[in-house]
Amino acid sequence: MNRTPEQISLHEWDRLHDDLVAAGLPQPSYGGPLSRHVPDGDLRLPRLRYDNSPAALRLWNFLLTEEDRLAAARTEGKQLVGTMKDLGTVPVMAYSSPSLVAFYPDGAWWIPCVMELSAGLLEVADSLGIDESFCPVRAMLGAFLTEAHFPIPDLLTCNVGATCDDFSAIAQRLNGLGYPILWWESPHRRAPDPGEASVELPGGFVAPEAQVAFVHDELERVRRALAHIAGRTITDAMLAEGITTANKVRSTLDELRRLAYAAEPCPMPALEMLIAEMLAIHFCSDRDECLAVLDELLAEVRSRVDAGLGALAGGAVRVFWVNPVADLRVMNMLEQAGGRICGTEYLFCHALDPIPEDLPPMEALARMALADPMTGPTADRADRICRDIGLFGSEAVVVSQIPGASHCATEGAVIRDTVGARLGIPVTEIEVPPVADAMAPTIRNRLDALLETARARRETLSATHEPVRTTT
Ligand code: SF4
């Protein structure tokens, strides 16, 4: 069935789903019309716009059925590991053992959005003294106490130290409520002193060898705890295989991002690409299926690029997006305003970089953990953002502020000043609450102003025949 790529509503997807099934579309076990998730409480879905490819349908269904997969894994006798805050490291270790399945309780971050605040998780957090002065990840407390969104894990790990104050405070509250946590620490990543032994990390940051060694030892404690609940040793050979498979996911995502963020017109909308990127951190609880989902999405994008087809109109302003949005609908808003995503830093860029395969696996994982943008100075993060803007030729930057998030108080100004001084492209900051409907006119105004400034700059550069300056 030939379809022109476009964004459609949930209602339109249901009709298309029926047509595709009637035409013989094979469906995975978790397939089906997207609207079936609405009675489960996913009330935001009717307010979103979706890519109309079967690959996107599979991606959304995969995302929205994770809870079922976790329950099935437990029934099969696998041990569940709740990995908190490190965003991409411990899951690689856990999936190296066939008896373990890892997921991020942090994912409760999005429940207030997806369920339009109907689950009452933020109220539970309020009642525990974790109020709106904390980031929306406080919804995780409510998810643990209600046991309505994911099974309680057999082991909980949490990365602390130079990560984020909000998460540490919330996880400490969780620990105090009777959910024991294996804490492992990341030091604040610093520049090596003159003459100090140092190593380059995935993604290009540099760190002292001593700091990598410290993280290595911390991760060894995590390895022992994982092996304990798995009931068998997790060897270096098993970890090396786990790293190779994680790198397959990362290389598939790398090609997907390069095509989706560079091709003109834009072949895949922002929301689907955001979900695809998120799969890198814990494979949405099924590593093999995750790879199959991404492969199908990549095939769709390749075919659109080869045919010169886009899901959005040509000429959209190329925007680099910093931080994940608490309300998914805002990604649609950017596109409705005439923008498109051409580069991202959703706080887990270290989960997209290839993990070195020519090092002992624990050393490679320690380097990756220390490459987390949250563990170093914001200036490092701003440097990387400038570099990545150069990859995709972004013409404007949105720094999406997360309500209550401690790191958001100052990072926007650092990123804005660095990007402005080096690249001269416009930057705006917007704050996005979990349900942003009341803020929508303000957010839209700011996006309109940003895109108008970028268009004016584009015209000026084109009139003076100057290349668009996007590299450092
Ligand atoms: S404050 Fe930022 S880094 Fe910390 S949990 Fe919230 S979104 Fe994540």
Side-chain angles (χ1 to χ4, degrees):
M1 183 186 290
N2 283 331
R3 277 163 295 99
T4 306
E6 60 177 339
Q7 287 171 296
I8 60 176
S9 68
L10 188 72
H11 184 59
E12 289 168 323
W13 236 129
D14 279 354
R15 284 207 305 266
L16 177 58
H17 168 270
D18 292 346
D19 292 346
L20 289 168
V21 170
L25 176 76
Q27 293 238 60
S29 58
Y30 52 84
L34 285 181
S35 67
R36 79 187 196 282
H37 302 290
V38 178
D40 296 340
D42 296 344
L43 305 178
R44 202 69 176 148
L45 299 185
R47 307 273 287 163
L48 304 178
R49 305 278 300 170
Y50 303 86
D51 182 76
N52 68 339
S53 62
L57 174 72
R58 183 175 180 182
L59 177 77
W60 277 101
N61 272 323
F62 186 56
L63 175 78
L64 295 169
T65 54
E66 183 178 16
E67 196 184 334
D68 301 339
R69 274 191 294 288
L70 290 172
R74 173 156 282 164
T75 305
E76 286 164 23
K78 294 191 174 176
Q79 302 294 303
L80 304 185
V81 186
T83 58
M84 298 192 289
K85 191 60 204 94
D86 64 272
L87 299 184
T89 303
V90 177
V92 176
M93 299 169 71
Y95 282 99
S96 299
S97 167
S99 331
L100 301 179
V101 169
F103 73 101
Y104 279 96
D106 322 20
W109 202 89
W110 264 297
I111 294 175
C113 164
V114 175
M115 301 188 74
E116 291 195 335
L117 306 175
S118 64
L121 302 188
L122 298 181
E123 287 80 356
V124 176
D126 283 340
S127 73
L128 297 167
I130 303 291
D131 61 15
E132 62 192 6
S133 63
F134 290 84
C135 121
V137 81
R138 67 198 179 99
M140 181 181 77
L141 281 178
F144 269 96
L145 264 68
T146 59
E147 299 190 20
H149 302 281
F150 48 72
I152 301 302
D154 301 291
L155 171 69
L156 269 175
T157 68
C158 186
N159 184 207
V160 285
T163 53
C164 107
D165 297 340
D166 295 63
F167 205 98
S168 298
I170 293 165
Q172 281 162 19
R173 189 75 176 92
L174 187 64
N175 193 68
L177 289 166
Y179 299 89
I181 294 173
L182 173 76
W183 308 95
W184 64 278
E185 186 176 347
S186 291
H188 178 71
R189 192 186 61 243
R190 62 172 173 82
D193 291 331
E196 185 179 16
S198 62
V199 290
E200 184 171 333
L201 307 175
F205 297 138
V206 176
E209 265 182 26
Q211 289 197 321
V212 176
F214 177 85
V215 176
H216 177 284
D217 290 351
E218 289 294 281
L219 287 175
E220 279 293 0
R221 289 197 298 112
V222 175
R223 165 152 70 166
R224 286 196 292 276
L226 293 173
H228 180 71
I229 62 159
R232 60 176 287 196
T233 310
I234 299 175
T235 63
D236 276 2
M238 291 162 77
L239 286 173
E241 208 178 309
I243 288 172
T244 301
T245 309
N247 278 343
K248 274 191 201 138
V249 171
R250 293 173 187 219
S251 66
T252 305
L253 267 171
D254 182 56
E255 187 180 349
L256 188 55
R257 291 177 89 242
R258 282 174 192 276
L259 288 174
Y261 296 156
E264 174 68 21
C266 173
M268 187 56 64
L271 255 185
E272 282 73 18
M273 287 302 298
L274 167 63
I275 297 168
E277 289 199 24
M278 277 162 44
L279 293 186
I281 61 174
H282 76 282
F283 319 114
C284 206
S285 301
D286 183 335
R287 215 174 39 169
D288 293 342
E289 185 61 20
C290 168
L291 205 44
V293 167
L294 291 176
D295 278 343
E296 185 176 343
L297 198 65
L298 176 58
E300 178 71 29
V301 168
R302 275 196 198 123
S303 76
R304 288 180 180 184
V305 172
D306 289 347
L309 295 173
L312 307 177
V317 175
R318 308 167 72 82
V319 173
F320 191 97
W321 199 281
V322 179
N323 292 336
V325 275
D327 184 350
L328 298 171
R329 188 175 161 230
V330 172
M331 304 313 284
N332 285 160
M333 282 173 62
L334 172 77
E335 293 167 339
Q336 285 157 354
R340 58 172 289 193
I341 292 294
C342 284
T344 59
E345 207 279 47
Y346 290 139
L347 285 169
F348 53 81
C349 53
H350 60 301
L352 306 179
D353 295 322
I355 310 168
E357 295 188 44
D358 56 350
L359 293 171
M362 291 299 285
E363 164 80 14
L365 290 164
R367 290 192 191 187
M368 194 190 80
L370 208 49
D372 183 335
M374 293 298 293
T375 63
T378 306
D380 278 5
R381 212 179 150 205
D383 278 346
R384 171 146 194 184
I385 287 168
C386 285
R387 261 190 290 132
D388 289 356
I389 285 171
L391 287 179
F392 302 115
S394 313
E395 300 167 286
V397 177
V398 175
V399 181
S400 166
Q401 304 274 18
I402 299 155
S406 45
H407 58 94
C408 285
T410 52
E411 70 182 6
V414 175
I415 294 168
R416 186 185 58 231
D417 292 350
T418 308
V419 169
R422 291 197 197 160
L423 308 176
I425 62 177
V427 182
T428 195
E429 294 173 55
I430 55 173
E431 181 165 289
V432 179
V435 176
D437 296 349
M439 300 276 295
T442 310
I443 293 173
R444 178 63 194 257
N445 277 346
R446 295 194 80 114
L447 292 176
D448 282 342
L450 178 79
L451 300 185
E452 205 175 302
T453 308
R455 276 188 213 100
R457 180 173 177 272
R458 185 192 280 178
E459 276 168 26
T460 306
L461 291 174
S462 135
T464 57
H465 304 295
E466 269 190 52
V468 178
R469 183 160 60 102
T470 55
T471 50
T472 51

